[in-house]
Amino acid sequence: MKKNILFSILTSCVLMQVISAQETTPIKQKFTAHNKGKYFIAFGGNREKFTDSDIHFTGNNFDFTVNNAAAVDKPKGWQVDYINPGRFTIPQTNMKFGYFITDHYCIALNIDHMKYVFAQNQTATVTGHIDLPATEPGSIHNGDYNNTPVNFSDGTFLKFEHTNGLNYVHAEISRFDDISKIFRLGNTDKFQINITEGVGAGFLYPRTDATVLEKKEHDEFHVAGYGLSAKAGLNFNFFKYFFIQTELKGGYINMPDIQITYDHSEKASQHFMFIESIISFGLIYKI
């Protein structure tokens, strides 16, 4: 009888110890369950479209506007330039570095390297006047313009590109929400789907390739104005640390101070809307 009582007491003690150990042992959470404190970097490519814009040119002996000028981007397609450190700024690229301040919100620094090309085969109207000295080649375009149609195909009047490029450097705040349950994904550490939205603001730092009235171009980086943007996209996380992100970003760009020649009194200004599609590849980690 005494042995049975002693055995029961020992058995109860052992069970209580096991239950207590189970209660105090924390359940290991998935890496993807929380985002706060994580860093991420991403690199990718883009395509964009621009609204027509009025481009105003002012300088010594000229003051004119090209009305409703059309422009396109300059895609290079899939190629090794995107991963070649010496050439990765030649295609249209995107770079991002960010940090999650909460599980749902992150801040990031972005560089959108877009390319803007004035459509050379267009005919657009010009308003203003040109009165260059007869010794300058561009003087062949001297005259007064009053919504006068001009064909720009030969390039002697104007060639105008932000192809080195239309660099939108901006800070962004974004929200992330895990929507994996909608697709019945159980183990988000293997595969997770997030939806993201955000807004950004920053400055334009283009390197403008412009030949205006056959004057010598001034192809150097220059802070030309500012931009505002909003975006939405999907983030696909693989094996906790890797992701692919697709985004659609739209915004407004205003550049009142575009350098066009080595004479700083000669410049251009324009503002327009843009829409940009982005795909990027990234790494997310926690220090």
Side-chain angles (χ1 to χ4, degrees):
M1 184 67 178
K2 289 182 179 180
K3 289 182 178 180
N4 289 338
I5 293 173
L6 182 60
F7 178 77
S8 297
I9 292 172
L10 290 173
T11 302
S12 299
C13 290
V14 171
L15 289 173
M16 289 178 66
Q17 288 292 331
V18 171
I19 293 171
S20 177
Q22 289 178 342
E23 289 178 347
T24 58
T25 301
I27 299 174
K28 187 177 180 180
Q29 288 188 327
K30 291 183 173 65
F31 179 82
T32 50
H34 297 282
N35 287 322
K36 185 177 180 180
K38 292 179 182 177
Y39 294 86
F40 60 90
I41 55 175
F43 181 80
N46 65 68
R47 290 294 308 271
E48 54 269 353
K49 292 184 179 296
F50 310 102
T51 59
D52 294 350
S53 67
D54 297 340
I55 311 176
H56 184 204
F57 297 88
T58 59
N60 300 319
N61 305 306
F62 64 88
D63 187 338
F64 66 90
T65 300
V66 180
N67 303 302
N68 298 315
V72 295
D73 65 349
K74 193 176 182 180
K76 295 206 69 173
W78 296 97
Q79 57 175 276
V80 295
D81 281 353
Y82 284 96
I83 57 174
N84 183 336
R87 296 177 61 85
F88 72 86
T89 60
I90 293 177
Q92 298 171 177
T93 53
N94 298 76
M95 291 176 282
K96 178 183 295 190
F97 176 75
Y99 174 75
F100 277 92
I101 54 177
T102 72
D103 281 346
H104 290 289
Y105 286 94
C106 68
I107 54 175
L109 177 64
N110 300 258
I111 301 176
D112 291 5
H113 180 75
M114 299 180 280
K115 293 183 183 289
Y116 175 103
V117 180
F118 174 83
Q120 206 63 55
N121 60 349
Q122 69 181 297
T123 296
T125 61
V126 175
T127 301
H129 70 272
I130 301 170
D131 188 21
L132 298 180
T135 54
E136 293 191 21
S139 63
I140 62 172
H141 300 292
N142 281 356
D144 293 319
Y145 295 79
N146 185 13
N147 287 321
T148 306
V150 174
N151 188 307
F152 295 93
S153 298
D154 66 1
T156 61
F157 194 115
L158 176 67
K159 291 176 67 178
F160 186 76
E161 303 179 357
H162 307 294
T163 48
N164 285 322
L166 183 66
N167 300 308
Y168 177 35
V169 182
H170 60 290
E172 192 174 74
I173 182 166
S174 304
R175 179 180 172 91
F176 277 71
D177 290 284
D178 184 358
I179 58 172
S180 303
K181 289 182 180 179
I182 297 176
F183 303 94
R184 298 181 180 179
L185 300 175
N187 189 352
T188 54
D189 274 3
K190 287 187 176 180
F191 183 54
Q192 180 188 44
I193 303 176
N194 298 285
I195 188 170
T196 178
E197 323 76 37
V199 293
F203 62 91
L204 273 297
Y205 192 54
R207 190 176 178 185
T208 302
D209 181 2
T211 305
V212 181
L213 302 172
E214 299 191 68
K215 290 176 173 285
K216 187 177 180 180
E217 67 180 29
H218 181 52
D219 186 12
E220 293 184 5
F221 289 110
H222 176 70
V223 176
Y226 67 91
L228 305 170
S229 57
K231 62 133 192 212
L234 292 172
N235 173 280
F236 303 93
N237 182 282
F238 301 89
F239 305 109
K240 301 189 289 186
Y241 304 112
F242 309 98
F243 66 85
I244 296 173
Q245 188 159 309
T246 60
E247 295 177 350
L248 189 64
K249 181 184 292 186
Y252 170 74
I253 286 173
N254 190 329
M255 294 187 291
D257 187 21
I258 302 169
Q259 291 187 346
I260 56 174
T261 71
Y262 282 88
D263 185 339
H264 285 227
S265 68
E266 298 182 337
K267 63 182 182 179
S269 63
Q270 66 176 151
H271 59 90
F272 53 86
M273 306 289 288
F274 72 93
I275 188 164
E276 180 185 9
S277 57
I278 304 166
I279 182 169
S280 56
F281 302 84
L283 171 70
I284 184 167
Y285 59 96
K286 194 168 186 178
I287 297 176

